[in-house]
Amino acid sequence: MRRPQEAKRSGEPGWSWRRAVIFPLIIFACWRLMVMENAPDTVVNQTIAWGWIILIISLAFFYTGFATAQDIAAILATRTGLPYATPPVAVDGEPLGYQPEPYEPPSRPFDPRDNGSR
């Protein structure tokens, strides 16, 4: 059987590796926090519980934050509002099917006295 591709047909990166890492970690962190529910109420256990809560929040933030950073990098690289569309679409919704004309240097050097009559 063929292994599924990481990226979608639209070019958008897949989330399979992120899901494979994040969900077991969050489930484990929530389980450890739940186990502490019946632990004696001490400063040490309160600190450990607070650390697990921070870990869960951090994991959720990085799960979505890295995806957002990846999308921003794709937007900057393609200079479009929808970088994963086929073809890429600009922010105003127009397809970017054109190629900008290459720059050609002028045939003669710039002359400030030139008024365009030559």
Side-chain angles (χ1 to χ4, degrees), residues 9-32:
R9 286 183 58 204
S10 65
E12 184 176 0
W15 285 58
S16 59
W17 287 108
R18 290 183 193 145
R19 281 192 298 262
V21 171
I22 197 79
F23 289 136
L25 286 175
I26 287 183
I27 289 169
F28 178 74
C30 289
W31 174 72
R32 291 298 301 165

Side-chain angles (χ1 to χ4, degrees), residues 108-118:
R108 54 187 156 77
F110 175 74
D111 183 3
R113 297 171 290 159
D114 187 10
N115 59 11
S117 62
R118 291 190 222 184

Side-chain angles (χ1 to χ4, degrees), residues 1 6 10 16 19-20 36 39 44-45 54 56 69 92 98 117:
M1 188 162 123
E6 176 67 19
S10 65
S16 59
R19 281 192 298 262
M36 293 188 67
V44 172
N45 283 339
I54 295 297
I56 293 168
D92 59 0
Y98 70 90
S117 62

Side-chain angles (χ1 to χ4, degrees), residues 21-101:
V21 171
I22 197 79
F23 289 136
L25 286 175
I26 287 183
I27 289 169
F28 178 74
C30 289
W31 174 72
R32 291 298 301 165
L33 194 58
M34 185 184 72
V35 167
M36 293 188 67
E37 183 177 26
N38 295 326
D41 193 16
T42 63
V43 175
V44 172
N45 283 339
Q46 182 181 7
T47 305
I48 293 171
W50 180 244
W52 282 111
I53 290 171
I54 295 297
L55 178 67
I56 293 168
I57 292 170
S58 300
L59 289 171
F61 172 74
F62 287 126
Y63 181 69
T64 57
F66 283 142
T68 303
Q70 190 175 25
D71 290 343
I72 291 171
I75 288 170
L76 293 175
T78 60
R79 304 272 194 252
T80 65
L82 301 170
Y84 304 124
T86 306
V89 178
V91 176
D92 59 0
E94 292 294 322
L96 295 176
Y98 70 90
Q99 292 291 329
E101 294 180 16

